[in-house]
Structures are given as structure tokens and as C-alpha cells.
Amino acid sequence: MPPRQQSKRKPGATTTGGTSSSSTARRKGASKLAKELKLSPEEEDEIREAFDMFVVDEEEGGPDSMDVDYQQEMGDVIETGNVRKAMLALGFETSRSELTEILDTLDPHKSGYVTWDSFVRLCALKMKYRDDQAELTRAYHLFTNGGEGPITIFDLKRIARELKENVDDSVLEDMLLEASGGLTVGLDEFEGVMKRAGVL
């Protein structure tokens, strides 16, 4: 098993797989894994930098405390206790309940460690969700004319005028009722509409 010890990676230190923090920063183009996850090289580097802050240093752990074959199989790892810190470094807030679910997924065998492969996959999902939420908010504000909302029939009538569409008020009311069950649509309800439409 990996050593129950971690330290911050020194600049330029070589990882198990032979990739250093500095060489990662200089790399041009995304790795095969990043391409699979649809991460840009910049996003991959951002995640790697946060991960490397807490990666277990096998040299400080000592050769007797880590099985070489196991180490090569696992690659770089961080302790589960540092997953939340690494995610915070990327700007991802995580509740206790969500963190428990995340660790159950990333470390199902309760080894106490999370691999780079598992961590980058988690962060790729988080980044996609963050991007989707940003797009959702922008779209919502198009309906509310930049306001906080909710969307009302007056917003829909304004949109119809801008599109030069002649839509009866009863049709617009039906759209609001279908979206929220009332005559206004908040951000959460707007998100539900987008998901049902397959946009998110």
C-alpha cells in the first residue's frame, strides 16, 4: 500500500510516471485522457497543479513503505483527506454529504488514496457542470433582460416582439404554466425546462 504520508510536490519533482509539474506546464496539447474527457490543455494543467499540491511523495515515504509494483500500478495518488482541499483550490465547493459520495466513488475499497485518473475524471465532470450552469444563467438573463427574474409574461412578450413573432397572450400563459405550474418561471424551473428540452 502507499505510505500514509503526503507532502507538497517540490517544483520540478519527478512523479512516478516520469512527469514533473514543470514539464506538465510546458506540455503542448492535451493528453490522451484529457482529450477523452474533453478537457483543454489549460484545464488539464489547472487540475494537475491542484492535484500536485497534495500528491504523496514516495521518496519521503521511503522505499520500504511502498510496494513498487503497487506504486507503478496506481501512479500518483493523494490522500482522501486532501481531496476536498484540492477541489477547493480549483474553486469547487463541496458539502460534507457530497464529499462522502465522492470519496465512496473515487476510493470504493477504502484504501485512503485517490489516483490521478480518478481525480481528473471527477474534476472534468465538475468543470462541465460549472460551464453548463454559466450558460444556463446567461440564457436565463436573456429572458429577464439582465434582471434576476423571475421570467414573466411581459418578458415573453418582449422576446416575441424582438423576434417579430405575433404570439397570443394565452399561448404565452400556457408556456409559463407548462414550465412552472404558475405564471412566473424562476432559475431552477428554467433549468428543468432546458433539461427536458435536452439542452443540458
Side-chain angles (χ1 to χ4, degrees):
M1 293 295 293
R4 296 280 169 175
Q5 177 178 345
Q6 63 86 31
S7 66
K8 291 185 178 181
R9 173 79 51 76
K10 297 179 180 64
T14 302
T15 69
T16 303
T19 302
S20 70
S21 299
S22 58
S23 64
T24 299
R26 292 193 301 267
R27 185 187 61 243
K28 293 183 179 180
S31 68
K32 181 179 179 181
L33 177 59
K35 290 176 181 177
E36 174 191 333
L37 299 174
K38 295 181 171 57
L39 289 171
S40 68
E42 293 76 19
E43 289 172 330
E44 182 183 17
D45 287 345
E46 182 183 357
I47 298 170
R48 183 79 227 194
E49 183 177 347
F51 185 86
D52 280 352
M53 289 171 63
F54 303 100
V55 73
V56 171
D57 191 328
E58 65 273 14
E59 293 181 1
E60 292 192 14
D64 296 332
S65 59
M66 179 181 285
D67 180 86
V68 175
D69 290 336
Y70 183 86
Q71 176 188 344
Q72 290 177 344
E73 177 186 349
M74 296 290 286
D76 286 341
V77 295
I78 61 175
E79 293 179 346
T80 53
N82 286 324
V83 169
R84 183 174 184 273
K85 297 175 186 177
M87 291 178 66
L88 282 173
L90 291 165
F92 299 130
E93 295 282 349
T94 308
S95 66
R96 287 183 179 274
S97 58
E98 184 184 5
L99 181 62
T100 299
E101 293 179 5
I102 287 172
L103 295 181
D104 285 344
T105 301
L106 300 188
D107 183 27
H109 302 298
K110 309 298 182 186
S111 68
Y113 294 89
V114 171
T115 64
W116 161 248
D117 186 274
S118 297
F119 184 76
V120 73
R121 289 178 186 278
L122 165 69
C123 292
L125 288 174
K126 286 283 186 180
M127 285 183 167
K128 183 181 187 306
Y129 177 77
R130 183 174 62 188
D131 293 344
D132 285 348
Q133 289 301 110
E135 289 294 327
L136 175 73
T137 301
R138 280 195 288 270
Y140 181 74
H141 286 160
L142 288 176
F143 279 89
T144 63
N145 204 24
E148 291 302 313
I151 298 171
T152 67
I153 191 171
F154 300 105
D155 293 312
L156 296 185
K157 289 171 74 172
R158 174 180 51 79
I159 295 291
R161 285 196 305 270
E162 291 174 356
L163 296 175
K164 297 181 180 180
E165 294 285 346
N166 185 18
V167 184
D168 191 81
D169 285 1
S170 62
V171 175
L172 299 178
E173 289 176 0
D174 287 343
M175 291 171 63
L176 293 171
L177 286 169
E178 183 179 352
S180 66
L183 293 179
T184 61
V185 176
L187 180 58
D188 289 343
E189 293 159 333
F190 183 75
E191 180 177 4
V193 171
M194 294 297 100
K195 286 181 176 178
R196 290 195 295 273
V199 177
L200 293 177

